[in-house]
Amino acid sequence: MENVQAIKQRFEIIGNDPKLNRAIEKAIQVAPTDISVLVTGESGVGKENIPKIIHSLSHRKHGKYIAVNCGAIPEGTIDSELFGHEKGAFTGATNTREGYFEVADGGTIFLDEVGELPLTTQVRLLRVLENGEFIKVGSSQVQKTNVRIVAATNVNMQEAIEKGKFREDLYYRLSTVEISLPALRDRRDDIHLLFRKFASDFAHKYKMPPIKLDEPAVQYLTKYRWSGNIRQLRNAAEQISVLETNRDISAATLQSYLPNEGTNLPSVINKKSESDFSSEREILYKILFDMKSDLNDLKKLTLELMQNGSSKVQEANKGLIQRIYGQKEEEKPYFEEETRLSVLPNEESQIEDEFIDEDEDDGNYIFADTVEEEDSLRLDQKEIELIKKALERNKGKRKAAADELGISERTLYRKIKQFDL
């Protein structure tokens, strides 16, 4: 079995941090087995090296090694990519296709960003891990595969499980052995070593002298936070190598190539308030419940106005009227002084339909039982009278009359036609 130093040289891994060495040791130890491995760490720490080490030291090293970026594949096609599909399984499936699990039979599959997998795909993956079985999209035939799965994620899996975005049983199947790679800011002694390695590589690539950092620049380099980890460090080294004509780099020059992230101060994370709605569905439910409450209040108010006399009820329910109709107290009421009632709430329903509701808890009233036929006739007469007065005051202008009555012009036109006014 190769030692840690030999593996570093073979895979060009730079650094002597104890956490990094421990991660490589665990990869060497689990490589000869078929145990599933989950590699965790921030984006840009070099998680892709661990599955390569495991595959190269395993008995599957002569089999295929396939790396799949789960976050880069659209949700609608990821099942087809991983498990394959039959001809005609969906629009555009003109041929039968082998998935990665079929192609990599006898080898290793590296699932990068496994935390981004859809829940339906997670169920399929769990079945592969448990008994090596999978079914192509559009097929009913169970197929067998013998692959070693190494997964990686930069997502906090416990939080993802709590939010229902990742299956707990799949997490425990994937993380039989968990290998965690440290962030670059946690291995500060390695930062300058890595920068010098990248500077040397780019000098050779672009055929120019390598850049060198003065002492203040080295101090700034090691104290910088490096949120993008090794990937960000490599990009900075490449930019400076290409753009700077002076090969001696000062702290000020180095700082001009790096975003202002501070030094080694802890990052501030804005935590979302727990009182916020967790989804748009909850917001929609709240709006619907509020609308139902307003509708019930409106029904009760209008029924009392019809049964008990509008003047007294309007005075007693002034606050309720203002909340439902949005009317200020000093404004003129919606109801005429003589009648105090408008039975034109909207153009979609008749007054009878509004008050026949057998499902209401306070359904001790049914319009058909409480309002006599002659009362309905009087309501029609008052309605006609109200429309006539509105038209007279507005000199026959339907739009102005409709605004005064609190109804749409279309509804007013229908009423005029209905009553032959």
Side-chain angles (χ1 to χ4, degrees):
M1 184 182 292
E2 297 185 56
N3 58 28
V4 174
Q5 194 60 37
I7 291 296
K8 286 182 182 178
Q9 292 177 355
R10 181 175 169 185
F11 290 91
E12 297 184 343
I13 298 174
I14 306 297
N16 295 306
D17 184 80
K19 293 179 182 178
L20 175 64
N21 291 340
R22 179 55 185 155
I24 297 174
E25 285 177 2
K26 290 174 74 173
I28 295 172
Q29 290 173 336
V30 301
T33 70
D34 280 335
I35 294 175
S36 298
V37 178
L38 179 65
V39 186
T40 60
E42 295 181 7
S43 178
V45 296
K47 295 188 293 293
E48 66 279 358
N49 288 320
I50 298 298
K52 291 178 181 177
I53 294 172
I54 293 173
H55 178 71
S56 67
L57 299 180
S58 71
H59 61 87
R60 300 173 180 269
K61 60 184 177 182
H62 299 298
K64 288 197 174 182
Y65 172 80
I66 297 179
V68 183
N69 189 331
C70 301
I73 304 175
E75 183 174 341
T77 61
I78 192 164
D79 284 353
S80 172
E81 293 287 326
L82 293 177
F83 308 105
H85 63 255
E86 294 290 345
K87 181 179 179 180
F90 50 85
T91 303
T94 56
N95 295 300
T96 299
R97 181 185 183 279
E98 293 182 346
Y100 296 136
F101 279 98
E102 188 173 359
V103 174
D105 189 16
T108 304
I109 286 184
F110 170 44
L111 299 177
D112 196 9
E113 297 186 30
V114 71
E116 304 296 330
L117 282 177
L119 288 172
T120 54
T121 308
Q122 291 178 31
V123 176
R124 288 173 172 261
L125 180 58
L126 182 62
R127 185 176 183 183
V128 175
L129 285 165
E130 288 179 343
N131 49 33
E133 295 179 350
F134 69 95
I135 301 176
K136 286 184 177 182
V137 177
S139 174
S140 58
Q141 182 181 356
V142 178
Q143 294 183 238
K144 282 277 191 177
T145 186
N146 178 20
V147 295
R148 174 64 164 302
I149 296 178
V150 180
T153 181
N154 58 8
V155 175
N156 187 319
M157 298 303 281
Q158 293 299 332
E159 289 184 5
I161 290 170
E162 290 174 4
K163 294 178 181 178
K165 294 182 178 179
F166 201 85
R167 292 178 62 95
E168 187 173 14
D169 50 0
L170 178 59
Y171 168 71
Y172 289 118
R173 289 293 284 119
L174 286 171
S175 60
T176 306
V177 172
E178 185 169 330
I179 299 176
S180 179
L181 286 175
L184 185 58
R185 59 182 168 275
D186 295 330
R187 25 183 308 219
R188 298 196 178 277
D189 292 339
D190 295 340
I191 294 176
H192 191 210
L193 287 174
L194 285 164
F195 186 88
R196 288 168 57 189
K197 171 65 166 62
F198 293 145
S200 175
D201 290 345
F202 292 127
H204 178 72
K205 180 179 178 179
Y206 298 118
K207 296 179 175 56
M208 57 179 62
I211 56 173
K212 296 180 181 179
L213 302 179
D214 62 18
E215 188 58 32
V218 172
Q219 293 179 5
Y220 185 85
L221 184 81
T222 55
K223 290 181 180 180
Y224 190 72
R225 184 167 179 79
W226 299 110
S227 299
N229 293 293
I230 297 173
R231 187 181 294 123
Q232 183 184 9
L233 179 66
R234 185 180 187 276
N235 290 344
E238 185 171 18
Q239 288 184 57
I240 298 171
S241 297
V242 172
L243 298 177
E244 289 297 320
T245 54
N246 185 358
R247 311 315 284 174
D248 295 323
I249 307 301
S250 65
T253 302
L254 176 63
Q255 187 175 1
S256 66
Y257 284 91
L258 300 176
N260 186 18
E261 292 184 349
T263 55
N264 57 351
L265 298 176
S267 61
V268 178
I269 301 175
N270 294 324
K271 186 176 180 181
K272 191 176 180 180
S273 173
E274 293 181 1
S275 60
D276 293 344
F277 289 106
S278 60
S279 66
E280 293 182 1
R281 183 181 300 175
E282 293 182 17
I283 298 175
L284 181 60
Y285 284 160
K286 184 178 186 302
I287 293 172
L288 291 175
F289 288 146
D290 290 344
M291 290 175 62
K292 182 179 180 182
S293 177
D294 288 344
L295 181 61
N296 290 338
D297 290 341
L298 181 59
K299 288 180 179 180
K300 293 176 185 178
L301 174 62
T302 311
L303 183 64
E304 288 182 14
L305 287 170
M306 290 188 296
Q307 290 180 335
N308 303 324
S310 60
S311 178
K312 185 187 299 182
V313 176
Q314 182 180 346
E315 184 65 28
N317 294 276
K318 185 181 295 183
L320 181 60
I321 293 172
Q322 181 179 351
R323 182 167 66 85
I324 294 175
Y325 293 100
Q327 183 184 20
K328 297 180 181 178
E329 293 185 5
E330 64 269 15
E331 291 179 351
K332 182 177 178 179
Y334 283 102
F335 313 103
E336 280 297 311
E337 190 67 33
E338 297 83 5
T339 63
R340 296 283 180 176
L341 177 65
S342 170
V343 291
L344 302 171
N346 58 59
E347 65 184 78
E348 303 295 337
S349 59
Q350 298 294 328
I351 189 72
E352 296 87 0
D353 296 331
E354 287 290 321
F355 298 96
I356 300 178
D357 190 351
E358 298 176 356
D359 294 329
E360 290 294 324
D361 293 335
D362 47 359
N364 56 349
Y365 56 85
I366 298 179
F367 182 81
D369 295 337
T370 57
V371 182
E372 301 293 337
E373 183 178 354
E374 61 180 278
D375 291 336
S376 297
L377 292 175
R378 286 203 302 272
L379 286 172
D380 287 345
Q381 293 171 0
K382 290 179 180 179
E383 190 174 0
I384 294 171
E385 183 180 354
L386 195 60
I387 293 173
K388 285 183 177 178
K389 286 186 178 181
L391 289 168
E392 288 175 2
R393 279 197 299 273
N394 292 280
K395 299 179 181 179
K397 296 180 179 179
R398 287 200 302 266
K399 189 175 188 315
D403 291 341
E404 183 176 337
L405 290 169
I407 60 176
S408 68
E409 187 176 359
R410 179 183 172 188
T411 301
L412 178 60
Y413 179 80
R414 180 167 57 81
K415 292 291 183 181
I416 292 173
K417 188 174 180 181
Q418 176 183 344
F419 297 127
D420 196 21
L421 298 179

